[in-house]
Structure formats: C-alpha cells, structure tokens
Amino acid sequence: MDIGFIGLGNMGFPMARRLIEAGHGLVVFDTRKEVTGKLEALGAKPATSPKDVADQVETVMASLPSLQASLEVATGANGVIEGSRAKRFIDLSTVGSAMAVKIHGLLAKRNIVQIDCPVSGGVGGAEKGTLAVMVSGPKAEFELLRPALDVIGKVFFIGEKPGAAQTMKLANNFLSATAIAATSEAVVMGVKAGLDPAVMIDVINAGSGMNTASRDKFPRAVLPRSFDFGFATGLMVKDVRLALEEMKQLGLSMEVADAVGRLWETVISAEGAESDFTAAIKPIEKKAGVVVGGAKGGVTGK
C-alpha cells in the first residue's frame, strides 16, 4: 500500500519506519528535514507539505502533538483536505472525540474519510510494533487499512461512530496517568517510613498493586532517576485535560479523575511541559522531604 505519513516525532518516526520495513511505499512530511532524510535513506519519498502528501497518495496517516496541529494538517491551508488524491485520513494522534468529530465533518465535505486511530504503548511499543491501535470509522475502510495497521501494533476496532476510538484512548491514558500518580504517592509514603523503594516495587509487582507504572516506569526511569521514559508531561496533561472535558460533557462526576487532574497540573507547573512524565514523582517527593532511588539505589531523606 502507498501511504502518506505526516509527523515524524518520537512516535511517528518508528511507526513510519516499520511501515517501510514491511514493504509499504511511504511519502513523508515533517517540518524537520533531518528526520525525513533518515526515512528517505530507507526508501521513503519526501513531500513539501500535507497537501503535497495528499496529492501523491490516497491514504494519509498523521501522528501529531496537539489538537491544533491535527486540525491544521487535516483541514487547514495547504492541508490534506486540499490534496487531489487523498481518500482517507488516519489520525494516530490523541485529539479527543469533539475534535475528531469536527475534523470528520470538514473532511467529509471533500469526500475524505476520517479514521480515528489513536495508539497507546509509548515509544518502546512504537519501536517494537506492539502498540494498542484503537480504530473507529467505516468498517470497510478499517478492513482495507488493517494490513498496514497490523504492522504497528495490536489492532482493536472500537466502532463506526466518529470519535469513539478517541474516547477509548482517553480512558486508557487517564488510567495511565492515575497509575503513575498513585504509585508515586505509595512509594513516597514507604520511603518516608524508611522502606527501600526497590524492594517496594518488587513487592508491588508480585502483588495485587501491580500496574504499568510499577511494572515499567519505575524500574526503567524513576528508581534510576533518569526520567527518560519517552513521553512528555505536556502530552500527558493534554490527555488528562481532554478526558476531564469529555467526562464533563457526558454529565459525569468523577472524583478520582478530578484529583488526578489537579496533581498533573501541579506536575506541569513544577517540572514543565517538556519534562518526562515520570518526573511526576518529584513534586510529591519535595512535599514529603524525600528522594526515591538514585545511582546507588538508596534513599536520601531531608
């Protein structure tokens, strides 16, 4: 399949590379020439704009960092909507259901099908092709695209309703955000009481408290204090805010979600949008007067 791919960031680049390695022909666009150059070396064709991509292929994928970026790439000046060949736009980004519905309506006027296709599993999952790939859109289009989507991960068809896959992604990322926040508080509690954080994580992972943060994030990025798991705090906060907005629109009262949202607002204020989201533990440590982990695997109290 000939595929256009727009947005070659931490997630987009490895997904695009896997598609090339699987034999798909790629036309790529990113504002950074150095990343498109790397894919050109693997056989991809460069494009000068989203419109140029959509002039060359019928199927366009995009992995973008913000709602506005997705809207502009899909429907803005020089966007996919102006392309002469594009028939379908697959948005791998997390934009929330309201924005997905908006893009769907605008593209439909040009007979371009919007496919919601957010992914979960981080940079590691993108590299290995093990992402959870959530899809909503016309079933026939899904079946057409499935061979390509299978290359990037495990594919789940959520439904035909525009935005349905976005709702699924927000539910998933809310749980991920909750896991890192709750695990941080639990481990800081133990460290404050004199427990070894490495032993705590081992016990949690052998018991009923095991979660994605204790299993993956803490051993790899928190206990060594590298804080380099590969997902920005700004992106996590964006997803949490979107989840809270969707819950509100549905008329729900979510006490845990509200608390998680407040904590992540504290994290972005203290650590900045560009920090790794595993740095969520730092404001909690600061309030408790402890530091979890370190080069020697110990604890420094204050």
Side-chain angles (χ1 to χ4, degrees), residues 147 166 175 185 201 209:
Q166 292 292 336
L175 288 175
E185 290 191 345
I201 290 299

Side-chain angles (χ1 to χ4, degrees), residues 89 92 115 158 174 178 198 215 233 299:
F89 177 72
L92 300 155
I115 307 292
I158 307 302
F174 161 64
T178 302
R215 185 190 68 199
T233 294
V299 180

Side-chain angles (χ1 to χ4, degrees), residues 161-239:
K161 180 182 176 183
Q166 292 292 336
T167 301
M168 181 67 248
K169 175 63 189 295
L170 293 181
N172 177 84
N173 274 29
F174 161 64
L175 288 175
S176 177
T178 302
I180 191 81
T183 305
S184 294
E185 290 191 345
V187 173
V188 165
M189 175 187 73
V191 170
K192 185 74 172 181
L195 304 186
D196 184 323
V199 173
M200 287 190 72
I201 290 299
D202 286 343
V203 172
I204 290 168
N205 286 337
S208 59
M210 190 272 287
N211 60 73
T212 56
S214 67
R215 185 190 68 199
D216 302 326
K217 283 86 172 182
F218 268 71
R220 205 180 100 190
V222 178
L223 295 182
R225 301 198 73 75
S226 57
F227 302 111
D228 60 353
F229 201 79
F231 190 64
T233 294
L235 293 176
M236 180 54 87
V237 171
K238 177 200 75 171
D239 292 354

Side-chain angles (χ1 to χ4, degrees), residues 274-286:
E274 299 303 315
S275 65
D276 193 84
F277 80 129
T278 54
I281 195 170
K282 290 184 178 181
I284 300 169
E285 290 175 321
K286 187 174 181 180

Side-chain angles (χ1 to χ4, degrees), residues 234-254:
L235 293 176
M236 180 54 87
V237 171
K238 177 200 75 171
D239 292 354
V240 171
R241 288 171 179 168
L242 284 172
L244 286 168
E245 286 174 17
E246 187 139 336
M247 291 171 184
K248 185 176 181 180
Q249 288 168 3
L250 291 168
L252 303 175
S253 176
M254 297 292 200

